[in-house]
Amino acid sequence: MDAFNSLVGRLLVAMPGIGDPRFEQAVILVCAHGLDHAMGLRLDRPVPGVDLATVLTKLETPFAENTGHQPVMIGGPVERERGFVLHTDDWVAPDASITFDPGLAMTGTREALVAMTDPLGGPRRSVLMLGYAGWGEGQLEEELAENVWLIADIDLDVVFDTDHETKWARALRGIGVNAAQLSAQSGRA
């Protein structure tokens, strides 16, 4: 039996022709991966017209006027009303944060939202995600075998910067692939 290789802390980069418009040119950070499931957050698709201030106002959570204007991301198609803060692990909620390499954490609490707006006590870098991408037992491994995703090492700028239009091409470039030379055809050799 093959040893299981977890992809936690790695990027999934969608191949052209993925066949699911929700994941065209997607870059997904794998946050959990076990034998029976996988969970990730999409890094490249902002929620149109929504920023952190909008969410904090809706949740009646106070914030400083000069914070809260960063985009909110569509983390994936599952549980789109559920929020996750993806952040550096220099701030964690002891009973609520999941930490993983390289120096990242994910927290799904209001406390994490407040921490995002605290330049002194909060995480150095953070982004709010609504929803997540999820895979059942063996589903991600099957998609990998069908060449639906490429696996890339993490680049914290791809994770946190706001140049969303180029994240896919930059993630590909990080593994030596020129996006312009990819074919929409996939399959098994």
Side-chain angles (χ1 to χ4, degrees):
M1 181 171 172
D2 292 336
F4 177 76
N5 289 317
S6 175
L7 295 175
V8 171
R10 306 285 305 274
L11 299 177
L12 298 177
V13 185
M15 286 290 289
I18 191 169
D20 185 337
R22 299 172 301 173
F23 295 109
E24 287 293 328
Q25 295 192 347
V27 179
I28 296 175
L29 173 63
V30 179
C31 300
H33 186 208
L35 293 173
D36 60 346
H37 74 287
M39 181 265 190
L41 296 171
R42 186 166 181 175
L43 305 172
D44 60 331
R45 184 176 281 175
V47 177
V50 178
D51 64 10
L52 183 58
T54 305
V55 173
L56 292 169
T57 300
K58 184 176 180 180
L59 294 174
E60 299 178 0
T61 302
F63 60 96
E65 230 177 272
N66 61 343
T67 63
H69 297 290
Q70 73 182 77
V72 173
M73 305 302 293
I74 298 171
V78 181
E79 294 187 50
R80 293 273 302 265
E81 293 297 316
R82 187 171 177 192
F84 300 92
V85 177
L86 179 63
H87 55 91
T88 51
D89 68 0
D90 50 338
W91 178 92
V92 293
D95 295 328
S97 296
I98 297 169
T99 59
F100 51 94
D101 285 335
L104 293 175
M106 179 181 68
T107 310
T109 65
R110 186 179 299 246
E111 178 186 12
L113 285 172
V114 172
M116 288 180 73
T117 67
D118 181 351
L120 299 176
R124 189 175 79 264
R125 296 175 93 175
S126 60
V127 61
L128 175 60
M129 308 285 197
L130 297 179
Y132 64 93
W135 294 266
E137 183 175 353
Q139 185 181 3
L140 179 56
E141 291 73 19
E142 184 177 311
E143 290 179 10
L144 289 166
E146 292 173 356
N147 297 316
V148 171
W149 302 102
L150 294 175
I151 301 169
D153 289 331
I154 197 164
D155 174 335
L156 291 180
D157 287 333
V158 170
V159 173
F160 291 112
D161 75 24
T162 57
D163 184 4
H164 307 297
E165 295 291 317
T166 67
K167 285 189 181 196
W168 182 71
R170 286 186 291 143
L172 287 171
R173 204 168 35 248
I175 54 175
V177 176
N178 180 341
Q181 295 177 329
L182 284 178
S183 167
Q185 303 297 316
S186 66
R188 295 189 177 130

